[in-house]
Amino acid sequence: QKEVEQNSGPLSVPEGAIASLNCTYSDRGSQSFFWYRQYSGKSPELIMFIYSNGDKEDGRFTAQLNKASQYVSLLIRDSQPSDSATYLCAGPLGNQGGKLIFGQGTELSVKP
Amino acid sequence: GAVVSQHPSRVICKSGTSVKIECRSLDFQATTMFWYRQFPKQSLMLMATSNEGSKATYEQGVEKDKFLINHASLTLSTLTVTSAHPEDSSFYICSARTQRGNTEAFFGQGTRLTVV
């Protein structure tokens, strides 16, 4: 059974610091991973996706994928209070594109 | 970007009644849509895959007769919760994949269902 695991937190960082969110997955064959941000009571919004080993940067966000270790992470630089949310890691569920299995989410709190 | 609209955003219904939730892709055609459910403080769990013009595929443990899915067109999928009970109260979210076959999925705004 495929699994995606996250530390549920809460993770608290001061404003301006780097927030590091981690995720592990069980299916070695998984090729793509997604990071979603979800504010309380709202639907998830896609932050980044990553297919290749290594780092992918987009603004203040960097996703890292290590397929050998089955590990994916999200770094948020210069954290802002508006980044406070639950961050969901997701991997593919089956071979059908768009069908996802989610981790339990990590709650991030950025303190002013 | 791809826009997915879900309606209603909130609904309160009496136990035993049925509720229909709509999911529309506004600026693209979606041959496949997905329905998720999220209980408080928990993650999203896939309920079913909605395929245009064919029957939905349900995940293990999801009752297909209780959660009726109809994907009548390339831009609309509906989820009907039949004979709703308080334990069905949850946040229901749809997502859609573009026809390009990308693995990205775009989410609707979600529907907060409360059964009283």
Side-chain angles (χ1 to χ4, degrees):
Chain A
Q1 185 176 350
K2 294 185 179 182
E3 292 182 346
V4 175
E5 298 284 342
Q6 290 180 259
N7 186 330
S8 61
L11 174 65
S12 183
V13 300
E15 184 175 357
I18 296 175
S20 177
L21 305 161
N22 304 313
C23 175
T24 59
Y25 59 94
S26 63
D27 182 13
R28 189 170 288 277
S30 294
Q31 298 296 314
S32 56
F33 294 89
F34 305 84
W35 282 100
Y36 287 87
R37 177 174 60 197
Q38 186 176 29
Y39 293 110
S40 180
K42 302 295 184 182
S43 189
E45 56 179 319
L46 182 65
I47 298 176
M48 291 187 72
F49 59 88
I50 185 166
Y51 299 120
S52 304
N53 264 332
D55 297 358
K56 179 181 179 182
E57 186 174 319
D58 184 0
R60 295 187 295 114
F61 300 95
T62 299
Q64 299 173 318
L65 175 59
N66 184 325
K67 292 186 178 181
S69 301
Q70 296 176 233
Y71 175 91
V72 58
S73 65
L74 179 70
L75 301 178
I76 306 175
R77 290 182 298 281
D78 188 22
S79 296
Q80 301 296 309
S82 59
D83 293 328
S84 298
T86 296
Y87 290 80
L88 300 166
C89 172
L93 183 62
N95 297 320
Q96 190 170 27
K99 191 173 176 180
L100 300 174
I101 179 170
F102 285 84
Q104 55 270 59
T106 299
E107 184 181 349
L108 172 66
S109 176
V110 181
K111 304 294 187 183
Chain B
V3 179
V4 177
S5 177
Q6 195 173 333
H7 177 81
S9 58
R10 289 181 177 272
V11 58
I12 301 173
C13 72
K14 291 185 177 181
S15 187
T17 62
S18 296
V19 173
K20 180 184 284 188
I21 303 169
E22 292 186 349
C23 180
R24 294 181 184 273
S25 55
L26 297 187
D27 55 357
F28 66 100
Q29 293 183 327
T31 54
T32 304
M33 293 184 176
F34 305 94
W35 288 96
Y36 292 83
R37 178 169 53 183
Q38 186 178 35
F39 291 108
K41 300 295 184 183
Q42 295 186 27
S43 193
L44 282 75
M45 295 295 293
L46 181 66
M47 298 176 65
T49 302
S50 173
N51 303 298
E52 187 268 336
S54 64
K55 291 182 178 180
T57 304
Y58 291 82
E59 296 300 304
Q60 191 173 7
V62 178
E63 301 175 59
K64 62 180 181 180
D65 294 330
K66 180 170 183 61
F67 299 99
L68 302 179
I69 293 173
N70 184 20
H71 195 147
S73 75
L74 286 171
T75 59
L76 174 64
S77 174
T78 61
L79 168 67
T80 301
V81 183
T82 63
S83 187
H85 289 97
E87 56 265 32
D88 297 324
S89 299
S90 187
F91 192 45
Y92 292 86
I93 313 171
C94 71
S95 72
R97 180 172 63 96
T98 66
Q99 279 189 311
R100 291 194 303 273
N102 293 342
T103 55
E104 294 174 63
F106 299 92
F107 284 88
Q109 306 95 314
T111 297
R112 175 74 59 191
L113 170 63
T114 303
V115 184
V116 298

